[in-house]
Amino acid sequence: RMFFNDVGNYKRAVKRFDDGHRLCNDLMGCLQERAKIEKAYGDQLTTWSKRWRQLIEKGPQYGSVERAWLAVMTEAEKVSELHQDVKNNLLNEDVEKVKNWQKEAYHKQMIGGFKEAKEAEEGFKKAQKPWAKKLKEMEAAKKTYHMACKEERLAAAREANGKTEASVTPDQQKKLHEKVDKCKQDVQKAKEKYEKSLDELNKCTPQYMESMEQVFDLCQQHEIKRLTFLKEALLDIKRHLNLTENQSYATIYRELERMILGSNTQEDLKWFSNNHGPGMHMNWPAFEEYNPDQAAAPPKKKKPDGAPPTPSTDHVAPPGDRSSVSSYDKNQTYSAEWSDDDQPAGYSGNENGGNGNSFEDDSSAGKGVRVRALYDYDGQEQDELSFKAGDELTKTEDEDEQGWCRGRLDSGQEGLYPANYVEPI
């Protein structure tokens, strides 16, 4: 295992400068990705709200419950704005703050790397140089001593073998003994030199440790600044992400709750009765004098009491769109041709396999025959059209038995008009 004071092992402390600069880039990249997510979510909320607001307004729901339902769309629009604010805060404040701090904390050199890292490395090298020189001398002395010990052991072994072999002459035995004595002297000299170099190394070790710690403390001071800044930056990010601390966020849901709790069942039922039930105004038949100068408008076709709405269900939602909903005319009229034997046309949520919505887009919308008005006509009721002689409009439903057609003005308004007031173009 390598230790900090080992020669060259300070490089991890120096590398921390490069790591700190890279971590700033990583944090900015992280925030930029989150900003994209916030924007995408806000855009999806807006698209969803816009689409469903149109569908709900055209759908059969009415009264205060309709307003409460639409309040959910308002909630989505306001929450979308808050998420767009989160995106802007992340990019314009947090990312910029990290970028500016990084620029101030790390100074790039022309030759590559950072000034702070170079200064730290030079400081460590300077602190380590004297001790590293002594260490090198000590290692050489140790090596010399160990080699001398090895030579002594070999010489002693040769001398011992020479005493047991008859072929070794006394003169040779004397030389072997002299070799052993010389090796012992070399071992003693090498040992003394080794001990001396080790002692000198140990004497300069405290100063070496102090110098290394001083340089390391300078690195720590820079790291303290980085960690402190990072903590502050993360707290700012948390503040921008945490919508529960935003007063506007709480207000959105208080308003939504108020709208939902404000829905009134009895008022909605009364409204429906007055507009589509027994409470409606009725133009009962009355005697009218013949006027040869103006064609008489036929009696208006009325919906029989109790006849259920019959919205179109032949629209097929595009692939992948499970929540497609159609336009539905709240003011549409219904045929008066019915008898006790006729069953009103009902519809079920299972007509599309149980997965479709209860009011689908009418694929026939926009079709019709162009006609031109022969006379002026002022609509007598809310669901009747008004036009001047010469105006052009689109007939969307053929004449019924009572002489009324359904049509659409170029302005988009739909309603009933007398069939004998127009002619095909």
Side-chain angles (χ1 to χ4, degrees), residues 194-350:
Y194 176 35
E195 289 175 341
K196 181 180 178 181
S197 63
L198 183 60
D199 184 57
E200 291 177 352
L201 179 68
N202 290 334
K203 286 181 180 179
C204 69
T205 295
Q207 179 62 40
Y208 165 63
M209 293 176 62
E210 182 180 352
S211 299
M212 290 291 285
E213 287 180 6
Q214 288 176 352
V215 179
F216 185 76
D217 286 343
L218 293 176
C219 297
Q220 289 289 78
Q221 291 299 319
H222 190 279
E223 185 66 3
I224 287 174
K225 293 178 182 178
R226 188 186 73 85
L227 295 176
T228 302
F229 166 77
L230 188 60
K231 180 179 179 180
E232 293 174 354
L234 291 173
L235 284 173
D236 287 340
I237 294 167
K238 172 258 180 186
R239 178 170 55 84
H240 292 147
L241 293 177
N242 188 4
L243 293 179
T244 60
E245 295 182 358
N246 190 318
Q247 292 298 321
S248 298
Y249 190 74
T251 302
I252 290 172
Y253 289 97
R254 283 197 298 268
E255 179 64 18
L256 176 59
E257 182 180 31
R258 186 186 69 79
M259 290 296 294
I260 295 172
L261 295 178
S263 60
N264 189 308
T265 301
Q266 294 303 318
E267 286 186 3
D268 289 355
L269 293 176
K270 181 179 179 181
W271 177 91
F272 191 86
S273 176
N274 291 337
N275 288 272
H276 303 286
M280 290 180 65
H281 172 72
M282 179 64 178
N283 287 335
W284 298 104
F287 182 81
E288 298 180 10
E289 290 289 351
Y290 172 69
N291 185 350
D293 296 328
Q294 181 178 355
K300 182 181 175 185
K301 175 180 176 180
K302 291 295 179 179
K303 177 181 75 68
D305 291 343
T310 320
S312 171
T313 56
D314 57 356
H315 169 70
V316 179
D321 186 359
R322 298 184 180 178
S323 60
S324 176
V325 196
S326 76
S327 62
Y328 177 97
D329 189 351
K330 299 178 188 293
N331 296 318
Q332 63 181 309
T333 59
Y334 304 94
S335 173
E337 299 298 320
W338 62 288
S339 68
D340 291 341
D341 296 329
D342 293 331
Q343 294 297 323
Y347 74 101
S348 166
N350 295 324

Side-chain angles (χ1 to χ4, degrees), residues 62-81:
Y62 55 91
S64 59
V65 172
E66 178 190 15
R67 292 191 293 274
W69 192 351
L70 289 172
V72 177
M73 305 303 109
T74 302
E75 173 270 341
E77 293 164 0
K78 292 181 178 179
V79 170
S80 172
E81 293 177 359

